[in-house]
Amino acid sequence: TNAPFWSLGYECIYYFFYGFVFYLRGWTRVILCFALAVAIGPQVLFLFPIWLLGCWIYDLYVLCQKKRYVSVVLVSALLWLVVSGVLLTMGYNFPLGPASIFQFIKHLPNPLELLGQSHLRSNMFAVAVGILSAVLLFVSLLAMNLLKISRSNRWVRGFRSVANGTFTIYLMHFPFLLLL
């Protein structure tokens, strides 16, 4: 009954893929990745690109740090979000706005259904949420760089203390609610 734990089985497999791709070479890499893909099946493999998107967003963030593109990318992303948000509140659906992109992705046919597979958590809604979350995460990371706060600030220490427990809270919130 603990819904947050379902993703751990998926994530563990994704880390194996990541290790195989980045640390192995030649046919060993190809054979192990193929064998793992066959072993886990289409359900788990379906959401792997969303997990990789998170890795790519972090790599892009690091690249932007090194190239000093932070301001340009941040201003562009924020402008895109503001313009599409304003148009959406005025009743217009900006064709390239987050809401339009989300709806478009969400309504794409699910490849698992086309293959006759059940899709459970592996659906296009999850893909749409993953893509939108990745964009918002990227913008948030860039925006946080503009804040200049000393690590010794008491607020920073307090937030770090709370943040250290967030994964545990994420995993245990449902059992605690059931207990209550």
Side-chain angles (χ1 to χ4, degrees):
T1 63
N2 194 4
F5 281 100
W6 75 267
S7 66
L8 294 178
Y10 284 48
E11 292 169 43
C12 181
I13 297 298
Y14 299 158
Y15 283 112
F16 274 102
F17 268 117
Y18 192 84
F20 290 168
V21 169
F22 286 98
Y23 298 112
L24 298 176
R25 298 286 176 251
W27 283 104
T28 305
R29 176 196 305 178
V30 173
I31 291 169
L32 284 176
C33 284
F34 181 76
L36 187 58
V38 168
I40 64 171
Q43 283 285 328
V44 179
L45 200 56
F46 180 83
L47 292 176
F48 184 51
I50 296 301
W51 185 86
L52 279 176
L53 180 61
C55 297
W56 181 75
I57 287 294
Y58 179 76
D59 290 343
L60 183 62
Y61 166 71
V62 170
L63 178 69
C64 284
Q65 295 299 318
K66 292 178 182 173
K67 300 287 184 177
R68 302 287 183 202
Y69 296 135
V70 174
S71 299
V72 174
V73 173
L74 181 61
V75 167
S76 301
L78 287 175
L79 186 62
W80 173 69
L81 287 170
V82 167
V83 167
S84 59
V86 167
L87 289 174
L88 190 61
T89 58
M90 293 171 56
Y92 300 104
N93 205 357
F94 183 50
L96 294 176
S100 297
I101 294 169
F102 183 84
Q103 290 299 324
F104 175 77
I105 294 169
K106 185 176 95 170
H107 289 100
L108 286 173
N110 187 327
L112 293 175
E113 286 178 354
L114 297 175
L115 294 171
Q117 299 275 321
S118 100
H119 55 80
L120 301 172
R121 288 183 172 91
S122 302
N123 54 47
M124 296 312 289
F125 179 77
V127 172
V129 167
I131 291 171
L132 185 61
S133 297
V135 170
L136 293 174
L137 173 66
F138 183 64
V139 171
S140 299
L141 286 170
L142 292 176
M144 289 298 109
N145 278 352
L146 299 177
L147 295 176
K148 302 296 182 203
I149 303 173
S150 169
R151 287 180 181 247
S152 62
N153 182 303
R154 69 183 179 107
W155 287 100
V156 171
R157 288 192 313 266
F159 278 114
R160 284 181 182 257
S161 297
V162 170
N164 285 336
T166 57
F167 187 66
T168 305
I169 293 168
Y170 165 71
L171 291 177
M172 299 308 293
H173 77 279
F174 193 70
F176 287 149
L177 286 174
L178 288 178
L179 183 63
L180 288 174

